[in-house]
Amino acid sequence: PRSTQSRSSAASDVYKRQIVYSRGNDLKEGLDDGKDLNPKALVVEETLADVVMVQRSDIENFKNIEKQLRNQIQDLDNKMELKAQDDNKRLEERLKQETMKKNLEIQAAHKRYEEL
């Protein structure tokens, strides 16, 4: 019986049957020009007024798009990690070279000082 159905099960029934009714003047909500429609005016049951009805194929498409986006994010994360590792290696090598260069300059300065 309908009274024992869960909210999602009732929504599923609504989805399957695609029953729509109009509540007459409630379709227009407070505007004289009637451009904005009351979104709850075209529902089968008031408790299901906030349920969005979509095609199953649309849901599957959105899931596929979400999966693709998650894969792209994972790929970008991997690329960023590799780039960070490469940058770190490059900067460590540069630091090592600069340190050696400065040490040579210090040694040369000490040598000049001792010669004076």
Side-chain angles (χ1 to χ4, degrees):
R2 188 172 191 109
S3 62
T4 61
Q5 284 184 327
S6 70
R7 200 174 179 137
S8 62
S9 178
S12 176
D13 285 352
V14 171
Y15 171 79
K16 290 175 187 171
R17 283 185 258 135
Q18 296 288 312
I19 300 172
V20 178
Y21 76 93
S22 172
R23 295 187 329 218
N25 291 336
D26 287 344
L27 191 60
K28 297 178 183 177
E29 186 173 86
L31 294 176
D32 294 334
D33 60 5
K35 288 182 181 176
D36 288 349
L37 298 178
N38 178 354
K40 295 182 180 184
L42 300 174
V43 295
V44 174
E45 189 174 312
E46 187 69 29
T47 59
L48 299 175
D50 296 324
V51 174
V52 177
M53 295 188 199
V54 295
Q55 299 282 334
R56 184 178 307 270
S57 61
D58 289 341
I59 293 171
E60 290 170 5
N61 288 338
F62 288 128
K63 285 182 179 180
N64 288 334
I65 290 170
E66 179 186 21
K67 185 178 179 180
Q68 290 172 354
L69 291 173
R70 288 184 188 274
N71 289 338
Q72 289 175 358
I73 289 170
Q74 185 63 46
D75 289 344
L76 290 173
D77 282 345
N78 293 339
K79 287 177 183 177
M80 284 176 35
E81 180 65 30
L82 290 174
K83 176 74 171 141
Q85 290 173 1
D86 289 343
D87 287 348
N88 192 32
K89 287 178 186 176
R90 184 179 50 80
L91 290 173
E92 285 177 358
E93 183 61 33
R94 184 172 174 200
L95 177 62
K96 185 178 175 181
Q97 290 172 353
E98 291 295 323
T99 301
M100 287 176 27
K101 182 179 172 182
K102 292 298 176 186
N103 285 338
L104 290 174
E105 289 176 8
I106 291 171
Q107 288 174 359
H110 279 295
K111 188 175 182 179
R112 281 193 309 264
Y113 175 75
E114 288 176 7
E115 291 175 353
L116 294 174

